[in-house]
Amino acid sequence: MINQRRCRSIGSIFLLSVLTGLLLFSPAVALAVQSQPPVQTEWWVWEIALFVFSFFLGIIAVIAGVGGGVLFVPIVSSFFPFHIDFVRGAGLLVALSGALSAGSPLLKKGLANLKLALSMALIASISSIAGAMVGLAMPENVVQLSLGATILGISVIMLLSKNSAYPEVTEPDTLSKILHIYGIYYDEQLKKDVSWQIHRTPVGILLFVVIGFMAGMFGLGAGWANVPVFNLVLGAPLRVSVATSIFVLSVNDTAAAWVYLHKGAVLPLIAVPSVAGMMLGTKIGARLLTKVHTRVVRKLVITLLAAAGLRALLKGFGI
Amino acid sequence: MKQQLHANRIQLTYATVLSWTSTLGIIFVVAGYLVYVFQLLPSTVSPSEVAMHWHLRAAELHKIVPVPSGWDWIYQLGRGDVLSYASVVYLSSVTMLCLAVIIPLFLKEKDMIYAVMTLLQVLVLVFAAAGIVSGGH
């Protein structure tokens, strides 16, 4: 048993080491560090590198239980020669396409709740548009600085947050009663139906406004923030929180993506290999989920994320 | 206990439309990209030309190379880069389509709160897509 655990830990560390090695020693890094236009490298080399990189990112994102979007922007903007405008545009599409492809089964199973999502997404999507407009108007060093600080904050949240599988909500608030936000789903772990209701709805809506703004500004998927708000603030069960977060993400990222499209910050040459690589990697990652030590990978990914955040911060300071 | 699905009719309709439109979107995006990078159709701007400038800010890149943005590509669909861009635009419209489909269903069930809320959500996304609230040109 202990040997098996040790093997899984070693396997997990190996997997992440491969990715980190790929990051640090690839020709992409050497060029990105110089901040020069990549004239000496054929464009298709970057396309393949981006696809392969996104593929590995997709694998570890699933294993670590984090959204691909939040890893994509800080790491790709640090190690590839693309301007952060295009990386943020691609990051939004990575998060959006992941949410679109995952959304249908979650809605069919009743895990994602349409009414809960719509109530939070309406104002959040407007703030997401505002965030995208502010983000694209800010000077590059300010973007890097704020991105670095945000990513470091996300790393801390991910490290410290303790979700609650079945939070207890004794009395739903008035707004959630008016909006008929409650539900029931079949829990495969408990093998029974679980009813749920929520409280603190106005606080939740306000928090989603802030999350939407940040997601639009940095092109990040916002699962890292959506899930704790649904789960810990509103009191929705963890499975409902994760599933509904994906739905909200699809609405908010759509709104922000249009700002990036209008500002010319979406290049299919960067967005499509990222989306395809990430989606393929996510499928492989889901199969590997039981074979690697997820907690070890999660901690290593948080470390990697913190390193990328620190790098963005240093770039912002011109170091 | 046997598993029972608890999604209502509106949620199931949304899920079905989402499943079809998103699958189509992914296929469209990959196909459009392959047409562009393998130069199966003539392009406004070649991939190598874009790659020479992708280290610049979006606004600066657009001053140098006429890559598609917003809706300025609509009359040039026969070009590889435009086709690839159009596929990304389609993917960004999927949520709007799915939401628009469920508005009549909410109305049919006389659920006015969610009919209005969904309508407002679609309007926000339509305004963003039209460039009215998203700084389009």
Side-chain angles (χ1 to χ4, degrees):
Chain A
M1 184 78 175
I2 294 169
N3 277 344
Q4 202 181 348
R5 270 191 195 165
R6 196 173 290 163
C7 283
R8 282 167 71 184
S9 299
I10 292 168
S12 313
I13 293 167
F14 175 75
L15 188 72
L16 204 81
S17 306
V18 169
L19 182 82
T20 314
L22 199 78
L23 271 173
L24 297 177
F25 302 110
S26 70
V29 177
L31 271 168
V33 168
Q34 290 165 19
S35 299
Q36 294 293 317
V39 282
Q40 62 273 52
T41 306
E42 291 288 341
W43 63 271
W44 52 266
V45 175
W46 294 111
E47 296 294 290
I48 295 169
L50 186 60
F51 175 79
V52 172
F53 172 79
S54 303
F55 173 74
F56 280 107
L57 208 58
I59 293 176
I60 64 156
V62 171
I63 294 169
V66 297
V70 74
L71 290 171
F72 182 85
V73 176
I75 299 177
V76 171
S77 63
S78 290
F79 299 110
F80 279 78
F82 320 130
H83 193 277
I84 194 166
D85 284 358
F86 304 116
V87 179
R88 285 182 290 169
L92 275 174
L93 285 164
V94 163
L96 175 62
S97 49
L100 292 177
S101 57
S104 181
L106 296 173
L107 281 162
K108 281 181 181 165
K109 282 183 183 173
L111 287 172
N113 186 278
L114 202 58
K115 290 189 173 178
L116 175 58
L118 285 170
S119 306
M120 300 298 145
L122 181 57
I123 303 176
S125 62
I126 297 170
S127 75
S128 197
I129 291 171
M133 291 175 78
V134 170
L136 283 170
M138 285 195 312
E140 191 180 343
N141 63 328
V142 180
V143 174
Q144 289 284 6
L145 274 174
S146 352
L147 176 67
T150 306
I151 294 297
L152 285 174
I154 293 171
S155 313
V156 174
I157 290 172
M158 285 170 67
L159 202 63
L160 300 179
S161 71
K162 302 244 182 300
N163 294 321
S164 166
Y166 311 101
E168 199 178 323
V169 177
T170 46
E171 180 64 30
D173 63 296
T174 314
L175 187 57
S176 77
K177 280 183 195 167
I178 294 168
L179 295 172
H180 302 113
I181 304 174
Y182 53 83
I184 183 169
Y185 73 99
Y186 180 78
D187 193 298
E188 286 178 14
Q189 205 172 350
L190 298 176
K191 307 276 181 217
K192 65 171 189 177
D193 286 341
V194 175
S195 303
W196 59 269
Q197 53 192 6
I198 62 163
H199 55 184
R200 306 188 199 113
T201 308
V203 182
I205 291 173
L206 279 177
L207 288 171
F208 272 101
V209 170
V210 178
I211 297 167
F213 190 85
M214 289 173 81
M217 184 184 267
F218 300 122
L220 303 171
W224 54 273
N226 289 349
V227 175
V229 172
F230 275 132
N231 184 232
L232 302 175
V233 179
L234 296 173
L238 186 57
R239 286 169 199 275
V240 174
S241 302
V242 172
T244 309
S245 157
I246 289 171
F247 186 99
V248 172
L249 206 146
S250 72
V251 178
N252 290 353
D253 284 2
T254 294
W258 277 106
V259 180
Y260 282 79
L261 284 163
H262 279 291
K263 298 283 183 190
V266 176
L267 291 179
L269 277 182
I270 297 172
V272 180
S274 313
V275 167
M278 186 75 80
M279 291 191 85
L280 205 61
T282 308
K283 286 195 190 302
I284 304 288
R287 288 187 182 182
L288 287 175
L289 204 55
T290 52
K291 292 177 186 155
V292 289
H293 206 301
T294 52
R295 284 176 68 183
V296 176
V297 174
R298 187 174 166 85
K299 282 187 180 161
L300 288 169
V301 166
I302 292 171
T303 311
L304 190 69
L305 197 60
L310 198 65
R311 195 182 159 90
L313 210 60
L314 293 174
K315 267 177 131 180
F317 282 119
I319 301 169
Chain B
M1 186 176 179
K2 205 180 167 192
Q3 181 177 355
Q4 285 187 333
L5 296 179
H6 293 291
N8 63 25
R9 197 168 69 91
I10 297 176
Q11 194 154 317
L12 288 174
T13 306
Y14 187 102
T16 307
V17 178
L18 176 62
S19 175
W20 282 99
T21 48
S22 61
T23 305
L24 196 67
I26 302 296
I27 294 169
F28 193 19
V29 160
V30 174
Y33 175 81
L34 293 176
V35 168
Y36 179 35
V37 296
F38 288 110
Q39 304 278 290
L40 300 179
L41 286 173
S43 297
T44 320
V45 185
S46 70
S48 57
E49 211 176 333
V50 174
M52 281 174 69
H53 302 99
W54 60 23
H55 62 287
L56 298 173
R57 283 211 84 146
E60 291 167 23
L61 180 136
H62 278 265
K63 284 179 194 161
I64 301 168
V65 282
V67 290
S69 70
W71 291 100
D72 62 7
W73 48 272
I74 202 83
Y75 298 111
Q76 302 177 53
L77 266 175
R79 296 185 175 272
D81 53 341
V82 172
L83 198 66
S84 184
Y85 186 82
S87 69
V88 175
V89 167
Y90 170 79
L91 199 66
S92 307
S93 309
V94 164
T95 305
M96 240 182 300
L97 294 172
C98 297
L99 287 169
V101 166
I102 59 170
I103 296 171
L105 301 181
F106 277 127
L107 287 172
K108 207 172 173 183
E109 292 198 355
K110 296 190 171 44
D111 192 340
M112 291 313 289
I113 294 177
Y114 282 94
V116 172
M117 205 185 280
T118 313
L119 178 67
L120 289 173
Q121 184 64 74
V122 171
L123 286 176
V124 168
L125 297 180
V126 167
F127 285 157
I132 295 167
V133 291
S134 56
H137 47 266

